[in-house]
Amino acid sequence: DARVTQTPRHKVTEMGQEVTMRCQPILGHNTVFWYRQTMMQGLELLAYFRNRAPLDDSGMPKDRFSAEMPDATLATLKIQPSEPRDSAVYFCASGLTPDGGWTDTQYFGPGTRLTVL
Amino acid sequence: DAKTTQPPSMDCAEGRAANLPCNHSTISGNEYVYWYRQIHSQGPQYIIHGLKNNETNEMASLIITEDRKSSTLILPHATLRDTAVYYCIVRSGTSYGKLTFGQGTILTVHP
């Protein structure tokens, strides 16, 4: 059963430290989404990649967050420096998008629970 | 994308059908209705989606009213494992697939 994997599953860090979260999309999927979930804000879209190119990162705080896809099997979300307000669960989702079309179904990973002290 | 309105919570007895309503009165012609659910501590899971016609798959049925202003997700025989937050999302047919999640409905299935 193909699944999206995320590492680490849990991360506790101190304010000011760099945090890197990794996502392995389902093999063959060409689209990756990053979401953040908090009790207050719910699920928010941070970034969207298609064929490894960032197409929408309007939901991401630009000053401290960055997202990349070094290759088709790895997506990373980095926070530097981290702040307590970044504490949340970060989800990665992948999907298959045909040329000129849209992503029909998003498959979510288990998430990374980040706590910034 | 059109805004959706869902009841904050619902209860259902195990084995009975769970009918989850969603209002999307401002939906436009090219917007799809999607349903996802999130079981506690897990990532959201796709359930079903539709444009105009009713849809059915192995998980659920989606009934969309003729005017498309509301829809109902039906879980025909709810089990305890169906306890989750259910999200109704309206997505533009011209967007890349972006989903905007609301607060959803917390469905609790009782023994």
Side-chain angles (χ1 to χ4, degrees), chain A:
Chain A
D1 206 19
R3 297 187 182 193
V4 175
T5 58
Q6 291 187 247
T7 56
R9 293 294 311 279
H10 302 272
K11 176 73 175 179
V12 179
T13 190
E14 293 189 346
M15 183 173 64
Q17 296 298 305
E18 178 179 299
V19 175
T20 299
M21 291 168 272
R22 294 176 175 80
C23 167
Q24 183 172 16
I26 293 173
L27 190 64
H29 282 185
N30 62 351
T31 307
V32 170
F33 300 81
W34 281 104
Y35 290 86
R36 174 172 63 182
Q37 186 172 34
T38 61
M39 289 294 293
M40 293 298 294
Q41 300 296 327
L43 268 161
E44 304 172 282
L45 179 67
L46 297 176
Y48 161 72
F49 286 76
R50 184 189 295 190
N51 297 324
R52 297 177 55 200
L55 297 186
D56 184 0
D57 60 2
S58 58
M60 204 161 64
K62 299 294 191 300
D63 55 339
R64 299 180 299 107
F65 284 60
S66 61
E68 294 179 342
M69 280 201 74
D71 61 59
T73 64
L74 177 64
T76 63
L77 180 66
K78 187 176 295 186
I79 307 174
Q80 168 62 19
S82 58
E83 297 181 1
R85 59 180 168 152
D86 301 329
S87 297
V89 181
Y90 291 81
F91 290 103
C92 170
S94 74
L96 187 59
T97 308
D99 289 342
W102 57 84
T103 312
D104 222 8
T105 304
Q106 295 182 30
Y107 297 85
F108 283 76
T112 293
R113 182 174 295 276
L114 174 66
T115 302
V116 183
L117 303 175

Side-chain angles (χ1 to χ4, degrees), chain B residues 53-102:
Chain B
N53 300 322
N54 298 336
E55 302 287 345
T56 295
N57 63 20
E58 65 278 2
M59 289 183 69
S61 295
L62 174 60
I63 308 297
I64 303 174
T65 58
E66 194 168 337
D67 63 8
R68 302 186 69 238
K69 292 184 185 299
S70 66
S71 60
T72 301
L73 178 75
I74 301 172
L75 307 179
H77 306 287
T79 70
L80 300 179
R81 286 178 295 182
D82 292 322
T83 293
V85 180
Y86 287 77
Y87 298 98
C88 171
I89 303 163
V90 171
R91 184 187 65 75
S92 169
T94 59
S95 79
Y96 56 73
K98 177 178 180 178
L99 299 176
T100 303
F101 287 81

Side-chain angles (χ1 to χ4, degrees), chain B residues 12-76:
Chain B
C12 178
E14 190 177 18
R16 304 297 294 270
N19 298 284
L20 291 91
C22 179
N23 284 323
H24 30 79
S25 58
T26 60
I27 195 169
S28 57
N30 66 351
E31 289 182 320
Y32 289 75
V33 179
Y34 277 73
W35 284 83
Y36 278 74
R37 74 179 182 183
Q38 188 173 22
I39 296 170
H40 183 62
S41 296
Q42 297 183 20
Q45 176 189 25
Y46 166 81
I47 301 173
I48 199 167
H49 75 281
L51 181 62
K52 296 180 183 177
N53 300 322
N54 298 336
E55 302 287 345
T56 295
N57 63 20
E58 65 278 2
M59 289 183 69
S61 295
L62 174 60
I63 308 297
I64 303 174
T65 58
E66 194 168 337
D67 63 8
R68 302 186 69 238
K69 292 184 185 299
S70 66
S71 60
T72 301
L73 178 75
I74 301 172
L75 307 179

